[in-house]
């Protein structure tokens, strides 16, 4: 059942006297609800494309450069292809040209930018003041996206029809909205840990972020660390000299119950070839660690778990440390297990309690929710969706900082007890 704040939103919604309109004044920020597919372990939202009442469900990808979906599933009466060689095509990092010999339709036109058939159409967004939803706006200029075929949907949640990119690119969702409405280039994610209500949220345009029952702006409660630029692109297709569009942070240490895990420091830094370092990924279900880091973490976690009388059971792939759930106490923060901290530049740390460090794999079995990422991965540490769930995480591209609501009370309140939609 939706939380009580939902009803206060309805009051606000009708109080403005508009159910859906075109903007006559500047929006404050934009709001999207986020759902989790617990089978595919992916997070998705819905975009209003071409028509106000037409919703396209898309997977959220922090590393994706732009939006794409199966256009055949929707009506796109005002769709226009983007010609090859244009500035819009170059912004999508593509200079190729696409032709099509089938009947003309969205995604099948001649002389079109060769990024899966790049086009544009009307786009609608809902604004927020950080506390409640308000007016529906139409973008002043068409929104660019690609039309992919149904084969491209393999591997995606069956509840979705494409993906929306949230990388630091000109064509990403947040960049398009921030630029076209002249809003601060910031966005924040609150990934849900369940498929049921209440939902998670994405804010575009910055705070404030107000949540019941607290009457304060959580944007002022975030710890921050700098976003690091990887000099080499981590995207599958790129040009020599391109820097990465993904979000990297400077991790300085890992610890279990305040005891440092032995880690080769060179793995935590990014070398001149772009290898190493730490990035965040919404399409990686569980945090991946380079093999030596993973083995050290698992070993130290097992030792700390033994001190807490947690009974070991056989490992369940892909996890390396599993325990009998009935021997693990429970609390508001999830299973009471050794806590894991990752040290951040600026002498901050991001703490993972049981809700984010453990996963239930079957009846009476809990496993440490970190996986082996291989001995020579491009990126040494990839922080996955499970570890980000129920935190408010802000990507501030104005000051190039990452903000995290590490306070446990705020974490639970922000994403599991109070919802905006």
């Amino acid at each position: 059942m939706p939380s009580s704040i939902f009803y206060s939103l309805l009051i606000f919604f009708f109080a403005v006297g508009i159910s859906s309109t075109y903007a006559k004044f500047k929006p404050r920020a934009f709001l999207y609800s986020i759902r989790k597919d617990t089978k595919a372990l992916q997070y998705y939202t819905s975009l209003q494309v071409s028509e106000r009442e037409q919703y396209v469900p898309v997977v959220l990808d922090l590393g994706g450069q732009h939006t794409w979906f199966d256009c055949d599933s929707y009506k796109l009466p005002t769709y226009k292809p983007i010609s090859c060689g244009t500035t819009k095509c170059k912004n999508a990092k593509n200079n190729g040209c696409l032709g099509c010999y089938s009947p003309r339709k969205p995604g099948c036109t001649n002389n079109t930018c060769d990024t899966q058939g790049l086009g544009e159409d009307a786009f609608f967004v809902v604004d927020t003041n950080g506390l409640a939803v308000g007016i529906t706006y139409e973008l002043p200029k068409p929104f660019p996206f690609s039309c992919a075929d149904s084969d491209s949907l393999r591997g995606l949640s069956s509840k979705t029809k494409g993906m929306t990119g949230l990388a630091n690119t000109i064509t990403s969702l947040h960049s398009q909205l921030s630029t076209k409405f002249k809003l601060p280039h910031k966005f924040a994610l609150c990934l849900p840990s369940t498929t049921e209500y209440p939902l998670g949220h994405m804010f575009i345009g910055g705070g404030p972020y107000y949540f019941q029952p607290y009457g304060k702006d959580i944007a002022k409660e975030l710890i921050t660390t700098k976003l690091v630029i990887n000099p080499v692109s981590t995207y599958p297709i790129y040009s020599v000299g391109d820097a990465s569009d993904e979000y990297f942070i400077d991790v300085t240490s890992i610890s279990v119950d305040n005891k440092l895990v032995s880690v080769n420091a060179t793995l935590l830094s990014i070398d001149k070839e772009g290898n190493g370092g730490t990035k965040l990924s919404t399409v990686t279900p569980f945090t991946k660690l380079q093999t030596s880091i993973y083995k050290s973490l698992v070993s130290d976690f097992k030792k700390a778990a033994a001190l807490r009388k947690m009974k070991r059971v056989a490992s369940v792939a892909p996890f390396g440390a599993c325990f009998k759930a009935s021997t693990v106490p429970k609390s508001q923060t999830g299973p009471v297990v050794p806590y894991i901290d990752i040290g951040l530049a600026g002498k901050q740390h991001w703490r993972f309690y049981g809700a984010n460090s453990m996963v239930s794999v079957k009846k009476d079995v809990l496993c440490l929710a970190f996986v082996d990422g291989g001995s020579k991965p491009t990126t040494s540490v990839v922080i996955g969706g499970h570890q980000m769930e129920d935190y408010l995480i802000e990507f501030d591209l104005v000051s190039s900082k990452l903000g995290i609501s590490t306070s446990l009370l705020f974490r639970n309140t922000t994403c599991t007890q109070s919802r905006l939609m």
Side-chain angles (χ1 to χ4, degrees):
M1 178 180 293
S3 60
S4 59
I5 195 171
F6 176 81
Y7 299 102
S8 67
L9 292 180
L10 290 179
I11 295 173
F12 171 83
F13 194 74
F14 288 110
V16 298
I18 304 172
S19 62
S20 182
T21 186
Y22 297 106
K24 292 184 179 180
F25 51 90
K26 184 179 178 180
R28 298 149 292 188
F30 299 113
L31 177 68
Y32 287 89
S33 60
I34 301 176
R35 290 175 169 81
K36 180 180 181 179
D37 183 332
T38 53
K39 182 178 180 180
L41 299 179
Q42 294 173 348
Y43 310 91
Y44 63 99
T45 190
S46 292
L47 307 179
Q48 291 173 269
V49 181
S50 196
E51 299 176 345
R52 279 200 301 261
E53 301 304 318
Q54 180 167 256
Y55 295 87
V56 180
V58 288
V59 171
L60 298 172
D61 182 5
L62 273 176
Q65 296 184 337
H66 67 288
T67 297
W68 61 267
F69 59 89
D70 179 10
C71 295
D72 289 344
S73 299
Y74 301 95
K75 295 179 180 179
L76 302 172
T78 54
Y79 171 90
K80 292 181 179 179
I82 293 176
S83 299
C84 43
T86 60
T87 299
K88 292 178 180 179
C89 185
K90 292 177 181 178
N91 286 341
K93 296 185 178 182
N94 198 297
N95 293 316
C97 208
L98 182 69
C100 186
Y101 301 100
S102 299
R104 180 184 172 92
K105 64 177 182 177
C108 182
T109 53
N110 291 322
N111 302 316
T112 302
C113 185
D114 188 14
T115 304
Q116 294 179 300
L118 190 67
E120 58 186 6
D121 207 333
F123 197 84
F124 302 86
V125 287
V126 178
D127 92 322
T128 179
N129 62 357
L131 176 65
V133 295
I135 299 171
T136 296
Y137 291 79
E138 180 179 3
L139 261 66
K141 294 182 179 180
F143 182 81
F145 57 89
S146 293
C147 289
D149 55 40
S150 57
D151 288 342
S152 300
L153 302 180
R154 293 177 183 174
L156 295 188
S157 164
S158 61
K159 304 176 187 295
T160 66
K161 291 294 183 179
M163 300 185 80
T164 189
L166 300 177
N168 189 12
T169 61
I170 296 175
T171 51
S172 66
L173 176 63
H174 54 83
S175 181
Q176 289 287 319
L177 300 189
S178 297
T179 299
K180 290 177 179 178
F181 284 99
K182 295 184 168 71
L183 297 174
H185 196 182
K186 302 178 181 180
F187 72 100
L189 298 177
C190 200
L191 300 179
S193 54
T194 175
T195 189
E196 305 297 334
Y197 279 100
L199 306 177
H201 289 91
M202 174 170 62
F203 300 85
I204 295 177
Y209 311 117
Y210 289 103
F211 293 87
Q212 296 292 343
Y214 299 95
K216 61 178 68 176
D217 178 10
I218 292 178
K220 298 178 181 179
E221 305 288 338
L222 306 178
I223 67 159
T224 61
T225 190
K226 64 180 180 180
L227 288 168
V228 178
I229 301 297
N230 186 329
V232 180
S233 177
T234 48
Y235 201 67
I237 301 174
Y238 67 96
S239 299
V240 176
D242 286 352
S244 178
D245 300 316
E246 297 191 83
Y247 302 102
F248 285 77
I249 55 175
D250 187 3
V251 170
T252 58
S253 65
I254 301 175
S255 62
V256 177
D257 274 354
N258 280 332
K259 294 182 179 180
L260 288 175
V261 173
S262 178
V263 175
N264 181 345
T266 60
L267 294 171
L268 298 179
S269 60
I270 302 171
D271 66 23
K272 61 182 180 180
E273 282 79 37
N275 299 311
T278 301
K279 72 178 181 181
L280 287 76
S281 172
T282 48
V283 294
T284 300
F286 303 100
T287 294
K288 291 183 177 181
L289 304 171
Q290 188 272 348
T291 298
S292 67
I293 302 175
Y294 173 76
K295 288 181 177 178
S296 293
L297 174 65
V298 170
S299 176
D300 288 0
F301 189 89
K302 288 177 180 177
K303 293 174 184 176
L307 295 176
R308 292 174 179 249
K309 310 298 182 183
M310 293 168 54
K311 185 177 179 180
R312 292 272 310 282
V313 296
S315 297
V316 179
F319 308 108
C322 297
F323 305 86
K324 189 173 183 179
S326 56
T327 66
V328 181
K330 297 179 181 178
S331 73
Q332 189 179 20
T333 66
V336 181
V337 299
Y339 48 82
I340 297 172
D341 289 320
I342 59 172
L344 305 172
K347 297 183 179 180
Q348 304 280 7
H349 69 269
W350 185 354
R351 174 163 292 180
F352 300 128
Y353 291 87
N356 296 87
S357 65
M358 306 299 289
V359 59
S360 176
V361 296
K362 58 183 178 180
K363 185 176 181 181
D364 204 29
V365 177
L366 288 173
C367 295
L368 180 64
F370 293 76
V371 298
D372 188 340
S375 60
K376 294 183 179 180
T378 300
T379 303
S380 299
V381 180
V382 181
I383 298 176
H386 186 76
Q387 276 65 46
M388 290 189 275
E389 287 177 355
D390 298 330
Y391 287 100
L392 180 71
I393 302 176
E394 182 184 66
F395 298 80
D396 182 346
L397 300 175
V398 178
S399 58
S400 193
K401 292 182 179 179
L402 184 78
I404 309 165
S405 62
T406 57
S407 169
L408 186 61
L409 185 60
F410 282 133
R411 185 194 73 175
N412 284 345
T413 300
T414 297
C415 291
T416 62
Q417 294 180 10
S418 297
R419 298 295 184 178
L420 293 181
M421 290 184 71

